[in-house]
Amino acid sequence: MLESLSSGFQNLIRRLGGQGRLTEDNVKEALREVRMALLQADVNLSVARDFIKSVKGRALGEDVISGTDPGQMIIKIISDELIELMGPEAAPLEFQDQGPTVILMAGLQGSGKTTTCGKLAHQLKKAGKSVMLVAADLQRPAAVQQLQVLGDQLEVLVHAETGKTPPKVCEAAVKQATADGVDVVILDTAGRLHVDDELMHEVAEVARLTSPHEVILVCDAMTGQDAVNSAKAFNDRLELSGVILTKLDGDARGGAALSVKAITGKPIKFVGVGEKLDKLDVFYPERMADRILGMGDVVSLVEKAQEVIDEEEAQAQAEKMFLGSFTLQDFLELLQKVRSMGPIKDLMGMIPGMSQMQGLDVDEKEFDRNQAIIQSMTIKERSHPEILNVSRRKRIGRGSGVSLEQVNGLLRNFKMMKKQMQSMKKMGFLGNMLDPTRSVRKEKQKELDRMQKMGVNPMDLQQVKAFKQHVQREKARKARKEKARQKRKKR
Ligand SMILES: Nc1nc2c(ncn2[C@@H]2O[C@H](COP(=O)(O)OP(=O)(O)OP(=O)(O)O)[C@@H](O)[C@H]2O)c(=O)[nH]1
Ligand SMILES: [Mg+2]
């Protein structure tokens, strides 16, 4: 997913690494690289131009904050701008309190409408809502049947009728759903090869008769700028509330993901990342930006891990990752947990450093080999890899049936991963990354809000330290006061 876009940005990160100051020259060079990455990604030209302009404005106007280097600074700026470009906020579906929420799905032929209707129904059902799927595609004879098969599989109600026009079918379905107290109605409309008057007229008529609360355009991300152009055409004729980008799993370039919001003004609500019914993700601009910049999607990984391990453990894991006490033992546990979560390919990209180091074809065998290597280490070696001299490494290789080079490879990767975690920490991704569990995240947010109020820059480690000391002192003062109060009360 978005591999080529991501590797473009990672080139940039590598080239800027280790430079001492932000100068006109290195900013210029960075911008050239950004431009290249965007154009290779097939991002809309005017979107690319505006993007570079904002990055430039900010890069030249900002000093390098202590504790970071220019490369990190520019990456932070690019990350912020990517989030702004694609979001900045996630745009969840909005549900009605009263009566059914009607969701109209439109899009070109083969964009993935019917599949996405099924995926949405699946998610909503899991969330405890009752769902009705409506077969409003009467163009293709097999379309109704396709939806019915999906409905059977998901055990979701499917409304299908013959002898009526699609808008009339939809109108009747919504009426029925209202009477039956159904929570969500999803209208699966017909697609055409091109945006044409007939198609637009039909969809507009469906919208007129059903007053949908959400009008979602389903676009195939793999068609790049064509997807964006058709989104624009739909949006001109139909008041869209958002977009679902499908087939992002097959999209290396990411042009549609980066351009569609800027061109239509409508948010990406979900992304389809596979053919199966559970392959629909809420679109989080922030996570996507991290992913593009190769920072790995730690938040998603931790959330997935939470399904397997409990919250506290997940939090401890994440804290360890960022606080630098992450050991090979932790890495082993992480590998084992990830292994129990499902296909590794899907998960690898979420681990910092992994997306680059493994290439895309993740070999499950290699994954198991890594586990075996760590398992052949003593407990002490797992927490102190620095004691692993050649003879120890050789022993480990023999124990796990791999070559010395493979042991070295794992240690190299581990080191790189730790380093990336540290640089993420330095770059001020602390707010949402250090504390991935919700309760802690809230706490952290409170702390950040407080810092902001007091004018503390959360990226300046010196200032943050002073702030923390201040909070400590305040806490101690409060505790003393409380103690004194208790004492008085006793007397
Ligand atoms: N890899 C991948 N394939 C997808 C995704 N979403 C849909 N597809 C595939 O895309 C093809 C078309 O999907 P449909 O859901 O039938 O598309 P549609 O828009 O309903 O098509 P029409 O009804 O003919 O207009 C199918 O083979 C799906 O399996 C996705 O997120 N990833
Ligand atoms: Mg269809």
Side-chain angles (χ1 to χ4, degrees), residues 108-115 117 137 140 143 146-147 188-191:
L108 293 181
Q109 203 169 62
S111 56
K113 291 177 298 298
T114 306
T115 312
C117 288
D137 178 359
R140 252 188 331 121
Q146 186 190 357
L147 198 68
D188 179 26
T189 63

Side-chain angles (χ1 to χ4, degrees), residues 41-53:
D42 188 28
V43 169
N44 175 287
L45 275 179
S46 72
V47 173
R49 208 175 302 127
D50 289 348
F51 186 87
I52 289 168
K53 217 164 114 193

Side-chain angles (χ1 to χ4, degrees), residues 234-280:
F234 269 95
N235 194 48
D236 289 344
R237 296 281 296 265
L238 207 61
E239 191 50 42
L240 297 178
S241 59
V243 173
I244 296 183
L245 271 188
T246 60
K247 309 183 200 179
L248 205 65
D249 49 312
D251 175 28
R253 306 210 288 168
L258 289 184
S259 318
V260 81
K261 166 78 198 292
I263 297 294
T264 63
K266 300 299 156 69
I268 301 173
K269 296 207 165 201
F270 292 89
V271 287
V273 292
E275 291 190 86
K276 297 226 178 79
L277 287 173
D278 59 350
K279 295 291 178 200
L280 183 72

